[in-house]
Amino acid sequence: ARVAATDATYDALARPAMRRGEFRFVETLYAAKATDRGGGVGPDSLAILLDSYANGQPPQPDKAEGAFRYELEISAEKGLP
């Protein structure tokens, strides 16, 4: 039987990569999470993604802004504050 990944599972996998600035891995992981959830990754995962962009070499401020704006849009569509 296959057990579905939870938000905590995705975040636990992403944290080590975030610390190393491996934003491409975190992006790929959270793209799968967004697909599983039906859009968006949630606030805790967004924070991890933004930290991975900040820790990247070089840092990725444009990607961070894009991810933040996308999550705001998803939240508005879902009627979340």
Side-chain angles (χ1 to χ4, degrees):
R2 183 172 178 225
V3 177
T6 65
D7 288 352
T9 304
Y10 285 106
D11 293 347
L13 290 170
R15 276 191 191 93
M18 174 267 297
R19 289 185 193 102
R20 292 187 301 268
E22 295 175 4
F23 61 87
R24 288 180 186 92
F25 175 79
V26 178
E27 286 175 333
T28 302
L29 187 64
Y30 285 159
K33 179 180 179 179
T35 300
D36 288 350
R37 288 178 52 137
V41 295
D44 294 334
S45 297
L46 176 62
I48 291 170
L49 179 59
L50 296 178
D51 283 342
S52 75
Y53 289 140
N55 293 336
Q57 293 299 323
Q60 303 292 314
D62 294 337
K63 286 182 174 253
E65 181 180 354
F68 183 78
R69 290 183 185 276
Y70 177 75
E71 284 297 316
L72 280 177
E73 187 179 306
I74 294 294
S75 293
E77 287 175 6
K78 292 182 177 181
L80 300 174

